Amino acid sequence: MLGKFDDLVEKASELGLKAYLVDAEDIPVENRIALKCAYGCRGYGKRLSCPPNVISVEEFRKIIGEYNSALLLVDERDTSQVSDILEAWGEIRKDSFHKMLELEHEAFREGFTFAHLLRPGSCNECDICNLKECIKPELRRFAPEAVGINLQKAMEKAGLVLEFCKPEKTICVGVLLLE
């Protein structure tokens, strides 16, 4: 099975992503992370892939307990020449998501039947989310933070540092759950 993980790490590299294999049990899921969504995100409740429209932190704790492994996926971008990072953020994370989704599909083809991606940032496939029913369900994925994953701690456990507020370097992080 280790060879399959190596193949995914190599594929991630081909896509321009860095991939770090971690035990799923080492990914911290905390109730307090959801506070940042509910009380700090202007998109709260405006997308089907965001709280309160996703599974609860408690439900996700049960689900992640059924996985053995995960890949932390990091897409680091040089944004030193970007004049308005907030304006560019949407396209950056959409591009990162599509690379990561390609890796999820590859994982499935490699025999990881329950491979599931948690995308960087909230879904932005549509300009305005149809809150009644997703019109692109094959692309619907939620962010790790939406279900309580503390990405900063997860990365620290993998020996990485997640830096915030660095306009010259933007990092998109996803989690690919593998079983």
Side-chain angles (χ1 to χ4, degrees):
M1 187 66 104
L2 190 56
K4 287 186 175 185
F5 289 120
D6 290 340
D7 291 347
L8 288 176
V9 170
E10 185 177 322
K11 175 68 173 176
S13 180
E14 291 170 10
L15 293 168
L17 303 169
K18 294 177 184 171
Y20 303 90
L21 183 63
V22 297
D23 290 334
E25 67 185 18
D26 287 339
I27 297 174
V29 179
E30 302 174 356
N31 294 328
R32 67 183 176 160
I33 301 302
L35 283 174
K36 296 300 280 182
C37 293
Y39 302 99
C41 180
R42 62 180 174 215
Y44 180 78
K46 293 183 180 173
R47 301 209 174 261
L48 288 175
S49 62
C50 291
N53 301 311
V54 297
I55 60 176
S56 70
V57 173
E58 197 53 48
E59 289 173 300
F60 184 72
R61 254 192 209 98
K62 292 175 188 172
I63 291 169
I64 200 170
E66 296 177 7
Y67 284 88
N68 289 326
S69 304
L71 288 176
L72 292 178
L73 302 174
V74 178
D75 187 7
E76 188 173 310
R77 306 286 181 102
D78 176 359
T79 50
S80 59
Q81 302 301 310
V82 176
S83 60
D84 186 347
I85 192 65
L86 292 178
E87 185 178 317
W89 170 238
E91 285 306 312
I92 291 170
R93 76 173 194 266
K94 185 185 277 189
D95 181 61
S96 290
F97 165 65
H98 284 271
K99 290 187 219 177
M100 293 176 188
L101 187 63
E102 188 174 332
L103 192 64
E104 178 197 83
H105 294 162
E106 180 66 23
F108 181 80
R109 289 188 293 271
E110 290 281 335
F112 294 98
T113 310
F114 296 102
H116 187 81
L117 175 67
L118 286 76
R119 64 171 293 136
S122 62
C123 180
N124 61 346
E125 294 300 316
C126 302
D127 290 333
I128 297 174
C129 185
N130 177 353
L131 291 173
K132 295 190 189 307
E133 181 180 2
C134 183
I135 62 170
K136 297 180 182 179
E138 71 283 1
L139 298 176
R140 186 176 174 199
R141 302 291 187 283
F142 47 82
E145 300 90 341
V147 290
I149 291 179
N150 184 329
L151 283 178
Q152 188 171 14
K153 282 186 180 178
M155 290 183 69
E156 285 172 2
K157 286 184 176 205
L160 306 166
V161 176
L162 180 57
E163 297 177 295
F164 296 94
C165 303
K166 297 251 183 203
E168 69 278 0
K169 180 174 74 172
T170 300
I171 298 175
C172 295
V173 181
V175 178
L176 180 56
L177 299 173
L178 298 168
E179 184 64 33

